[in-house]
Amino acid sequence: MVSANDTVNIAYANNDGSNDNGSSNHYYMRQALEQAYLAYQQGEIPVGAVVVSANGEIIGKGYNRTIMDADPTAHAEIMALRMAAKAMGNYRLTGCKLYVSLEPCMMCLGAILHSRLSEIVFAARDVKTGACGGVIDIHANHQLNHQTRVSMGILQEESTALLRQFFKERRQGKNHVNTNKV
């Protein structure tokens, strides 16, 4: 767990939710939240992600599909990384950024580090499985052969609200699955 005294490579958003390039961060995080909403419509945990190239183009996007694909690795980040790698013709996504609505887990962070992304920007902290400080702080280990910058807090309230709504409905037994295929 990260304490206030720890020195880690996490940039927190300003009070208005922006950081160095706030308007573009908001735009890309909105795109990730749109992907999260697609997961919500399918009855999946609402997490979405987009990969943005160094020139600002969205080259990969994805949302959680673990249930519908019967695949424990079908997290939003993995789906977006797969699409981006195909678009780039290379598994190394040097200079690219990942925007994701929830802090990545250990599996996803491992894939992110192997893909050599320059930055991860996530909306909401995951205190149960987060690997960027929520539970464990893998990216801060300087023994790793690749370092990735991590920023958090962009559109945190919206992401958290969608997750809370999903789990509230799940506890109440509501079926909010949209039968129209996405």
Side-chain angles (χ1 to χ4, degrees):
M1 188 64 102
V2 178
S3 74
N5 297 329
D6 291 335
T7 303
V8 294
N9 188 21
I10 295 182
Y12 292 89
N14 297 329
N15 290 334
D16 65 354
S18 67
N19 61 17
D20 298 337
N21 53 357
S23 61
S24 63
N25 279 338
H26 274 84
Y27 171 78
Y28 295 124
M29 190 59 74
R30 282 237 176 269
Q31 302 305 305
L33 282 169
E34 285 182 18
Q35 292 296 305
Y37 188 70
L38 293 173
Y40 174 86
Q41 290 177 313
Q42 298 298 315
E44 298 275 357
I45 295 173
V47 179
V50 296
V51 176
V52 179
S53 70
N55 68 3
E57 179 184 355
I58 294 175
I59 58 171
K61 56 187 176 178
Y63 58 89
N64 276 1
R65 303 178 53 92
T66 56
I67 297 168
M68 72 175 92
D69 290 356
D71 179 356
T73 69
H75 289 197
E77 300 94 325
I78 301 297
M79 305 309 289
L81 289 173
R82 288 175 182 162
M83 182 183 282
K86 284 184 181 176
M88 297 285 287
N90 194 335
Y91 76 97
R92 296 254 170 117
L93 302 174
T94 307
C96 296
K97 293 182 180 182
L98 175 78
Y99 289 81
V100 61
S101 59
L102 184 65
E103 178 182 359
C105 71
M106 288 186 281
M107 175 189 69
C108 292
L109 190 60
I112 289 164
L113 291 172
H114 283 294
S115 70
R116 307 294 196 263
L117 289 174
S118 65
E119 185 175 2
I120 305 162
V121 181
F122 67 88
R125 175 78 70 199
D126 185 344
V127 297
K128 294 188 178 186
T129 65
C132 296
V135 174
I136 192 167
D137 202 11
I138 295 171
H139 79 283
N141 184 334
H142 296 289
Q143 291 178 312
L144 295 171
N145 68 333
H146 176 71
Q147 300 297 308
T148 299
R149 182 169 183 247
V150 176
S151 303
M152 66 164 287
I154 307 290
L155 302 180
Q156 178 179 352
E157 290 176 11
E158 290 180 44
S159 179
T160 300
L162 182 59
L163 287 159
R164 284 188 178 140
Q165 180 66 28
F166 174 82
F167 285 111
K168 178 182 176 184
E169 290 176 6
R170 185 182 251 185
R171 284 188 301 276
Q172 294 172 346
K174 290 183 181 175
N175 183 0
H176 56 283
V177 176
N178 182 348
T179 56
N180 297 326
K181 289 289 180 186
V182 174

